[in-house]
Amino acid sequence: MHIKEFLAGIAIILTLVAFIPYFVDILRNKTKPHVFSWMIWGLTTFVVFFAQISSHGGVGAWPIGVSGSFTIIIALLAFIKRGDISITKSDWVFFIVALSALPLWYMTSDPTWSVVILTVVDILGFGPTFRKVYASPHTESISFYAMFMIRNTIVVGALESYSIATTLFPAAVAVACLTIIMLILIRRLFVEAGALKSSN
């Protein structure tokens, strides 16, 4: 069990290391997170945390709980600092579906389907950020998403019980973070190539 606690501790440290510079970048107006993406992620992360605890995820669930707290703070900062606050109809759909996971869990008494729904919603919640990154690839931090990709991989290793309810969410988020990193890198190359071509 000591290795699980060690991995959970590493995952929590990575969460702190990833979030603190992101907070600083937001306060300096260097990073402009999409407020609705972060609201959706905050809601889904907290519910998944409680689902992992109820499914005996143990210490491996704690980094998800810590992450949920910071995610809500980023959503608030994005709103206060007037980050990307454009909200589309699809953003509202994601939010409403995320809220629907709680009554589903209550009705079925099984957190698995709630985690499946919340994981899908969380991944769909990346949609506004994907759209923003495609248009403005320099408004997001590669290192932030890289740390979260690594953190979620470690979270999977720290779980005390493996099931869809405990594993699906962190694994899917790790893949989504990798996808965002690739999109940022590709779009930055295109934008910089276009700027270079224009200057010539």
Side-chain angles (χ1 to χ4, degrees), residues 25-46:
D25 283 349
I26 294 170
L27 294 173
R28 291 178 176 172
N29 294 317
K30 184 178 177 182
T31 296
K32 298 181 182 298
H34 190 284
V35 63
F36 230 60
S37 276
W38 286 94
M39 280 178 60
I40 292 167
W41 292 335
L43 175 63
T44 56
T45 302
F46 263 122

Side-chain angles (χ1 to χ4, degrees), residues 27-200:
L27 294 173
R28 291 178 176 172
N29 294 317
K30 184 178 177 182
T31 296
K32 298 181 182 298
H34 190 284
V35 63
F36 230 60
S37 276
W38 286 94
M39 280 178 60
I40 292 167
W41 292 335
L43 175 63
T44 56
T45 302
F46 263 122
V47 177
V48 168
F49 165 65
F50 291 123
Q52 287 179 325
I53 291 294
S54 72
S55 298
H56 312 292
V59 294
W62 284 103
I64 300 298
V66 172
S67 185
S69 301
F70 284 127
T71 302
I72 293 296
I73 294 171
I74 287 180
L76 292 172
L77 278 176
F79 180 75
I80 292 167
K81 297 290 289 182
R82 289 295 185 263
D84 189 343
I85 57 173
S86 59
I87 299 172
T88 65
K89 289 180 180 178
S90 62
D91 296 338
W92 279 110
V93 171
F94 299 152
F95 186 67
I96 291 167
V97 173
L99 288 176
S100 74
L102 287 170
L104 178 67
W105 183 359
Y106 179 78
M107 287 185 293
T108 62
S109 299
D110 182 359
T112 301
W113 280 109
S114 290
V115 170
V116 169
I117 289 172
L118 289 171
T119 301
V120 171
V121 170
D122 200 80
I123 298 306
L124 291 175
F126 277 85
T129 297
F130 282 136
R131 189 171 66 243
K132 182 174 72 73
V133 164
Y134 186 87
S136 305
H138 289 89
T139 62
E140 282 293 351
S141 166
I142 290 176
S143 60
F144 177 80
Y145 287 100
M147 282 191 195
F148 269 91
M149 179 184 69
I150 295 167
R151 192 287 304 264
N152 280 288
T153 303
I154 292 173
V155 164
V156 172
L159 291 168
E160 294 177 23
S161 174
Y162 291 98
S163 65
I164 291 173
T166 60
T167 310
L168 179 63
F169 184 81
V173 172
V175 172
C177 287
L178 176 60
T179 305
I180 278 194
I181 291 167
M182 297 303 294
L183 180 60
I184 291 172
L185 289 172
I186 292 167
R187 286 299 297 158
R188 284 184 182 180
L189 284 174
F190 274 99
V191 168
E192 288 163 11
L196 184 62
K197 188 175 180 180
S198 297
S199 65
N200 292 334

